[in-house]
Amino acid sequence: MDVAANALLAAGASPAMVHSLREVPEFTPRCDAVCVNVGTLSEGWLPSMRAAASAGRPWVLDPVAAGASEFRMEACLSLLALRPAVVRGNASEILALASRSLAAAASGADSTHDSGDALQDAKALARSTGAVIAVSGAVDYVTDGERVVGVSNGVAMMQKITATGCAATALIAAFLAVVEEPSDVMAVAACALAVFGLAGEIGMESGAKGPASLRMHLIDALYCLDEQTVTSRVKISLHS
Ligand SMILES: Nc1ncnc2c1ncn2[C@@H]1O[C@H](COP(=O)(O)OP(=O)(O)OP(=O)(O)O)[C@@H](O)[C@H]1O
Ligand SMILES: Cc1ncsc1CCO
Ligand SMILES: [Mg+2]
């Protein structure tokens, strides 16, 4: 929650981390977009997540460790049925969701697969759910089931900071808040991931020595990004 909220603030969004079922119905309708992240899932929070997802706002799902337990898998599948605009997960999470089965290797919250390994499953999941699916990794793939966009911004060290994936998903929600057309959702998700990856690159160039200093520099880089840097450095390509 710390990394995600600070990344959103740095990028110019206005985050609020809300859990209580009592306040979700009051809070969520006022949000421009919603991010539901099952990272620290509990029985008590799941009804709040479902209520937030059902509030009629555009929303994004982060299926953290979907393949790690029956409870997470069932929770993620029930949230998927509430029609997220975008699902952003790492390759292991997207593979688990697409097959609706627990991961063979105990992967916890980290991926044991490359994003390319999950591309076909991501396309199938997009077609069966109607959501845009984003698989993060060295190349982030974004698909609506037909088209595929690849985003190659980012640095490997981002995997060593917990919740960079959560922050990337939250940034997709922030970008979704300003989208006008449903057909733009794929482009919006790709742009958010490119901007986040670029902030990681600039953070690394700013003298990060490891995960802790990259976390600081990445958030500073997000805050300092300007249009010229973004347009000259984003690496987004249409695949097929
Ligand atoms: N090998 C890599 N090279 C460049 N960028 C990467 C690499 N791996 C991940 N990233 C970037 O790191 C960010 C987080 O992606 P990752 O796949 O690690 O998410 P995650 O596993 O859900 O993370 P977490 O659960 O810790 O929040 C994304 O912006 C992604 O593009
Ligand atoms: C490590 C961890 N555990 C639950 S959520 C989270 C952050 C990465 O998804
Ligand atoms: Mg994650």
Side-chain angles (χ1 to χ4, degrees):
M1 279 189 279
D2 172 4
V3 179
N6 279 303
L8 286 173
L9 269 181
S14 178
M17 310 327 237
V18 177
H19 306 123
S20 166
L21 189 54
R22 273 190 62 188
E23 62 179 355
V24 165
E26 235 178 294
F27 218 111
T28 319
R30 285 190 262 131
C31 299
D32 293 319
V34 172
C35 179
V36 176
N37 181 310
V38 302
T40 53
L41 186 63
S42 72
E43 284 88 342
W45 282 7
L46 185 53
S48 307
M49 292 175 180
R50 293 176 55 80
S54 308
R57 308 308 300 144
W59 72 283
V60 184
L61 173 66
D62 191 323
V64 180
S69 74
E70 290 286 353
F71 179 45
R72 269 169 199 268
M73 177 57 69
E74 281 165 21
C76 288
L77 292 176
S78 76
L79 287 163
L80 266 183
L82 299 175
R83 303 296 303 253
V86 183
V87 180
R88 195 292 317 165
N90 64 39
S92 296
E93 291 157 351
I94 298 301
L95 284 166
L97 276 186
S99 66
R100 306 168 77 95
S101 60
L102 301 192
S107 57
D110 296 327
S111 190
T112 53
H113 300 87
D114 293 333
S115 52
D117 300 341
L119 183 51
Q120 292 312 318
D121 288 62
K123 289 174 85 170
L125 189 62
R127 285 195 291 266
S128 66
T129 60
V132 163
I133 307 293
V135 194
S136 55
V139 178
D140 303 316
Y141 292 106
V142 182
T143 180
D144 60 3
E146 304 300 330
R147 300 169 298 167
V148 177
V149 166
V151 179
S152 35
N153 294 101
V155 291
M157 186 69 78
M158 290 165 78
Q159 285 174 286
K160 293 291 178 195
I161 309 169
T162 195
T164 43
C166 308
T169 310
L171 199 61
I172 292 172
F175 277 44
L176 203 57
V178 292
V179 73
E180 312 243 310
E181 295 291 327
S183 59
D184 290 341
V185 170
M186 214 179 132
V188 160
C191 289
L193 289 168
V195 161
F196 191 68
L198 176 55
E201 291 170 21
I202 296 170
M204 212 62 212
E205 291 159 13
S206 306
K209 296 191 183 70
S213 47
L214 178 57
R215 175 184 144 134
M216 176 182 79
H217 286 302
L218 188 158
I219 289 170
D220 284 354
L222 262 182
Y223 178 74
C224 293
L225 270 182
D226 57 56
E227 189 175 344
Q228 204 266 329
T229 309
V230 171
T231 50
S232 64
R233 292 191 58 174
V234 294
K235 295 185 202 148
I236 301 177
S237 57
L238 192 58
H239 277 237
S240 55

